[in-house]
């Protein structure tokens, strides 16, 4: 089975289908163009997605283009990582963290790596 | 004849070394080459000076530093103040006038908390060891993003 495009950007229009209706948990990375730590976190999103190998969908939402998503999920600090399960935002973390901390945070929130 | 800015009547303590009064007119920069902006040099110098003064260091990945400096310069161009580029604001103009998130922001001044990773406490995650960044380093880092 071909995996769909890894860590694509989603916007307000595709958010419902891609994130809220996803059967797998989804990690959303909210970023902005001149936010330095957002750049730091971007490759970690690719790495996490690869490591989960289908068990976690990872997508990015750009801040400037998606004001209603930003406002709906009350994002203030960037980057923000929001974990969605069954259409609900179950956890949110603001600020850049290391890959290990991301994995630990996902595990704490019930999305562990498959053995 | 000087144009006034919305922020000229707000008194807030300035801890930076930039003492030029903010009465210069706000230039609403179009999307022209921001590397020409004199504010890029202003924010570069400020970052070096403030890191030294606060005993903090730049990120181990200097492109993070460069990107934040560019973001600060861009806000200075468009809003008249270096509003933190790593945040969402409901009203940018109001925030720039109010000052809490103008660099160096209150969390940084009070607790050395810079979530932009511009000023990092030595020895913490992502902290490098430099307190200097050249204009060339900045340009190289931000060019691919223009």
């Amino acid at each position: 089975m071909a995996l769909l495009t890894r860590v694509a950007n989603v916007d307000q229009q595709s958010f419902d289908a891609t994130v809220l209706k996803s059967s797998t948990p989804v990690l959303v990375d909210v970023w902005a163009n001149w936010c330095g730590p957002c750049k730091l976190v971007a490759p970690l999103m690719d790495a996490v997605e690869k490591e989960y190998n289908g068990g976690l969908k990872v997508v990015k939402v750009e801040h400037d283009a998606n004001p209603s998503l930003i406002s709906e999920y009350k994002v203030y600090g960037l980057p923000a990582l929001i974990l969605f399960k069954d259409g609900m935002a179950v956890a949110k973390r603001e600020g850049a963290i290391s890959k290990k901390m991301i994995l630990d945070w996902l595990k704490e929130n019930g999305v562990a790596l498959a053995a | 004849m000087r144009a006034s800015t919305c922020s000229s009547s707000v008194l807030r303590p300035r801890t930076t070394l930039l003492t030029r009064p903010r009465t210069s007119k706000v230039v609403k920069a179009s999307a022209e080459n921001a590397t020409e902006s004199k504010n890029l040099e202003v924010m570069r110098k400020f970052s070096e000076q403030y890191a030294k003064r606060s005993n903090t260091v730049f990120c181990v990945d200097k492109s993070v530093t460069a990107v934040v400096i560019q973001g600060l310069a861009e806000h200075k161009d468009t809003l008249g103040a270096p509003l933190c580029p790593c945040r969402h604001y409901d009203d940018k103009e109001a925030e720039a006038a109010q000052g809490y998130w103008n660099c160096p922001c209150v969390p940084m001044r009070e607790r050395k908390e810079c979530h932009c990773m511009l000023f990092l406490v030595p020895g913490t995650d992502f902290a490098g060891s430099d307190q200097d960044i050249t204009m060339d380093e900045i340009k190289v880092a931000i060019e691919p993003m223009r």
Side-chain angles (χ1 to χ4, degrees), chain A residues 32-37 39-40 44 63-64 67 70-71 75-79 94-98 101, chain B residues 59 61 63-64 66-68 70-71 74 85-90 92 115-117 125-126 142 145-146:
Chain A
N33 205 23
W34 294 117
C35 157
K39 304 286 180 236
L40 205 68
L44 304 183
H63 166 273
D64 290 352
I70 297 298
S71 146
V75 172
Y76 283 98
L78 298 169
E94 296 184 347
I97 45 176
S98 64
M101 287 170 74
Chain B
C59 185
D61 177 349
S63 69
V64 169
V67 164
V68 173
Q70 166 61 24
E74 201 158 281
C86 308
R87 277 194 80 78
H88 163 72
Y89 305 97
D90 293 326
K92 274 189 173 179
H115 67 274
C116 278
M117 298 190 169
D125 276 354
F126 302 107
I142 66 180
M145 293 166 53
R146 299 244 109 250

Side-chain angles (χ1 to χ4, degrees), chain A residues 53-110:
Chain A
N53 199 27
L56 174 73
K57 187 189 288 192
V58 182
V59 299
K60 299 207 289 204
V61 168
E62 200 272 317
H63 166 273
D64 290 352
N66 297 285
S68 65
L69 281 176
I70 297 298
S71 146
E72 184 171 350
Y73 294 104
K74 308 230 180 317
V75 172
Y76 283 98
L78 298 169
L81 299 178
I82 315 177
L83 179 63
F84 284 82
K85 280 202 267 181
D86 300 318
M88 301 277 298
V90 299
K92 181 170 72 154
R93 207 189 186 292
E94 296 184 347
I97 45 176
S98 64
K99 181 176 147 199
K100 179 178 186 311
M101 287 170 74
I102 297 171
L103 294 173
D104 286 346
W105 177 73
L106 289 168
K107 196 161 118 182
E108 272 162 32
N109 285 287

